[in-house]
């Protein structure tokens, strides 16, 4: 077999990767769920560990040859347990939704009732939304935020929990910009005998860095992805009380998945080591400070921020407020100008999910590049300039060039130097 490089074997594909590297280097990435993994994390992700099958868990595998894989997985487990103070950890979920599916399998039968935050209010598809398997195979009931202040309505959560007696109570979000009161959710779950599952996918890096309250002391089970604020490889993880370890492990494998992705597990171990450093704590604090600065600067330009601001890494902006815009139109114009974000539904959105009323902005990636409050104010200026004239392609080209110039001064982790 040839030992030629990717460039030699498949120049077409190599060109696409190089183009994506340039895109990630030259644009301001504001997608709240994205980040730049470090070079060390990427190195482990691209390692020969991808060649190995290892169904089972350390010390109990179905195939031989696990001398090093067992040690890799145990390292990731130990580091996650220490970082988050968890009693038990499963590092094998392929990503967030498979992690959540394993939780359903561990505790529910098809048709059971579950309670989670509705998608348009900031929840996640896998918390029982109708188009997800979790909404089709379970009787999903949803709570939301209050119309008047955009905050989660805990009275509604309690009322629905008492009325429906769910087997699982989910808390967690993909587009909610405030702190969740994990303890209050735990108390509601206890009252109705539900299992409390916290999905901290968006904020696990902030939790690790001490910039967001940890759900671990409160929840029976905590799920997360590993590639968002945590800045690891694309993957998932489940933390739980020791009493649930067996059920969770059996649900992940053989319940939902086959062999673990060992290269990802190794890269996760690296990310967890990085996340335990004081520098990562400073990073997490700055992510939140940057999100606040961005929200403030946009508010000052009369943009309507859902719930009025942010306490975490993201904000949702209603771009239809006082402006002839839609979420998709705004996101497309911004992308053309070098500001990459996602269209997002807002609570009680009158528009359709594919072209909703909002955009979601997040600061994990720009903060990984070392950008701080002054750059956030500059980003708000660019957003405003582009959205004032969203079909002006010449303006988009000018802004894109200004952005590429700024980005050159903030090299992104993990990308080759150019
Ligand atoms: N796709 C992720 C996000 O952007 O929030 C959630 O799965």
């Amino acid at each position: 077999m040839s030992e030629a490089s990717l460039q030699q074997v498949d120049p077409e594909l190599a060109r696409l990767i190089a183009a994506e590297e340039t895109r990630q280097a030259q644009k301001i990435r504001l997608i709240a769920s994205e980040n730049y993994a470090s070079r060390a994390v990427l190195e482990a992700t691209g390692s020969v560990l991808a060649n190995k099958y290892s169904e089972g868990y350390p010390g109990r595998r179905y195939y031989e040859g696990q001398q090093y894989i067992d040690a890799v997985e145990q390292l990731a487990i130990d580091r996650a347990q220490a970082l988050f103070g968890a009693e038990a950890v499963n590092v094998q979920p392929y990503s967030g939704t498979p992690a959540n599916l394993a939780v359903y399998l561990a505790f529910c039968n098809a048709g059971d009732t579950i309670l989670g935050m509705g998608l348009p209010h900031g929840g996640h598809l896998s918390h029982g939304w109708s188009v997800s398997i979790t909404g089709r195979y379970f009787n999903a009931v949803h709570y939301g935020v209050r119309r008047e202040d955009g905050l989660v309505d805990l009275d509604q959560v309690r009322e629905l929990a008492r009325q429906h007696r769910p087997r699982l109570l989910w808390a967690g979000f993909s587009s909610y910009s405030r702190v969740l009161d994990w303890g209050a959710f735990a108390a509601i779950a206890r009252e109705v005998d539900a299992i409390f599952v916290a999905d901290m996918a968006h904020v696990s890096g902030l939790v690790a860095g001490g910039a967001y309250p940890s759900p671990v002391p409160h929840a029976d089970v905590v799920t997360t992805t590993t590639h968002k604020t945590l800045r690891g490889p694309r993957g998932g993880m489940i933390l739980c009380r020791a009493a649930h370890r067996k059920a969770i492990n059996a649900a992940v494998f053989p319940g939902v998945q086959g062999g673990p992705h060992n290269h990802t597990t190794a890269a996760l171990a690296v990310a967890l080591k990085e996340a335990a450093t004081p520098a990562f704590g400073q990073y997490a604090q700055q992510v939140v400070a940057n999100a606040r600065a961005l929200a403030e600067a946009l508010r000052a330009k009369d943009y309507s921020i859902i719930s009025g601001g942010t306490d975490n890494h993201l904000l949702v902006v209603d771009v239809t407020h006082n402006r002839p815009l839609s979420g998709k139109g705004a996101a497309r114009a911004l992308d053309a100008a070098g500001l990459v974000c996602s269209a997002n539904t807002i609570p009680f959105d009158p528009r359709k999910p594919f072209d909703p009323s909002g955009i979601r902005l997040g600061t994990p990636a720009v903060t990984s590049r070392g950008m701080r409050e002054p750059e956030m104010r500059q980003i708000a200026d660019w957003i405003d300039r582009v959205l004032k004239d969203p079909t002006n392609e010449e303006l988009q080209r000018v802004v894109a060039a200004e952005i590429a110039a700024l980005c050159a001064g903030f090299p992104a982790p993990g990308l080759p130097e150019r």
Side-chain angles (χ1 to χ4, degrees), residues 61-378:
R61 306 278 190 187
Y62 285 83
Y63 303 167
E64 301 313 312
Q66 311 294 346
Q67 291 83 354
Y68 307 109
I69 297 299
D70 273 5
V72 166
E73 185 167 336
Q74 197 56 53
L75 200 53
I77 291 169
D78 293 347
R79 286 178 180 171
Q81 266 179 257
L83 183 64
F84 292 106
E87 291 176 12
V89 176
N90 187 306
V91 293
Q92 294 192 6
Y94 297 150
S95 203
T97 295
N100 289 350
L101 282 182
V103 175
Y104 286 93
L105 186 65
F107 300 109
C108 298
N109 292 309
D112 279 356
T113 297
I114 64 106
L115 178 57
M117 177 141 76
L119 186 71
H121 288 239
H124 191 255
L125 283 166
S126 62
H127 301 177
W129 201 242
S130 57
V131 293
S132 149
I133 184 170
T134 62
R136 290 180 54 183
Y137 287 20
F138 300 96
N139 173 37
V141 180
H142 290 108
Y143 59 86
V145 299
R146 285 187 294 255
R147 200 184 271 276
E148 58 274 21
D149 59 8
L151 300 180
V152 164
D153 186 347
L154 281 168
D155 292 336
Q156 187 199 23
V157 178
R158 193 174 303 104
E159 215 171 279
L160 289 171
R162 283 177 181 164
Q163 186 185 342
H164 296 279
R165 313 273 318 175
R167 178 81 179 119
L168 300 181
L169 172 59
W170 288 90
F173 51 82
S174 56
S175 56
Y176 182 68
S177 63
R178 296 298 185 177
V179 166
L180 285 181
D181 184 345
W182 304 117
F185 277 97
I188 293 170
R190 264 195 310 276
E191 189 187 325
V192 300
D193 229 2
I195 305 262
F196 172 35
V197 194
D199 180 343
M200 65 166 180
H202 263 263
V203 292
S204 54
L206 304 184
V207 169
Y212 195 91
S214 173
V216 174
H218 304 286
D220 298 295
V221 181
V222 178
T223 62
T224 183
T225 48
T226 52
H227 47 272
K228 297 187 173 92
T229 47
L230 193 56
R231 221 160 59 180
R234 297 197 78 86
M237 189 161 60
I238 303 176
L239 297 76
C240 62
R241 300 207 191 284
H244 299 312
R245 181 199 318 257
K246 251 179 110 169
I248 288 292
N249 282 352
V252 173
F253 171 83
V256 169
Q257 298 185 174
H261 293 175
N262 298 308
H263 52 307
T264 304
T265 308
L268 172 58
V270 177
L272 291 165
K273 183 173 180 181
E274 291 174 347
T277 61
F280 193 88
Q282 287 156 15
Y283 162 71
Q285 304 287 343
Q286 191 62 46
V287 167
V288 177
N290 281 351
R292 286 203 169 114
L294 185 57
E296 269 316 301
L298 288 170
R299 263 168 66 101
K301 295 176 189 303
D302 195 31
Y303 284 88
S304 166
I305 316 287
I306 303 304
S307 87
T310 181
D311 298 322
N312 57 32
H313 62 299
L314 70 82
L315 45 140
V316 178
V317 185
D318 176 0
V319 292
T320 65
H321 174 77
N322 288 342
R323 289 176 172 82
L325 290 168
S326 74
K328 194 72 183 166
R332 284 212 172 123
L334 291 170
D335 186 37
L339 296 146
V340 193
C341 70
S342 46
N344 210 92
T345 49
I346 61 169
F348 312 100
D349 204 328
R351 299 180 62 90
K352 296 256 184 286
F354 192 71
D355 189 6
S357 299
I359 55 172
R360 186 188 61 171
L361 306 173
T363 53
V366 289
T367 309
S368 288
R369 301 183 80 142
M371 294 185 187
R372 302 173 69 89
E373 288 86 342
E375 288 74 37
M376 299 308 114
R377 290 189 275 276
Q378 170 70 74

Side-chain angles (χ1 to χ4, degrees), residues 19-62:
E20 173 63 12
E21 282 170 356
T22 303
R23 190 192 70 82
Q24 291 190 18
Q26 294 185 346
K27 292 198 172 192
I28 286 182
R29 300 171 57 224
L30 296 167
I31 292 182
S33 47
E34 293 184 355
N35 211 331
Y36 294 97
S38 70
R39 181 172 161 195
V41 166
L42 294 178
E43 212 175 292
T45 307
S47 70
V48 296
L49 301 189
N51 294 339
K52 186 75 191 109
Y53 254 121
S54 50
E55 285 96 331
Y57 291 97
R60 283 177 61 86
R61 306 278 190 187
Y62 285 83

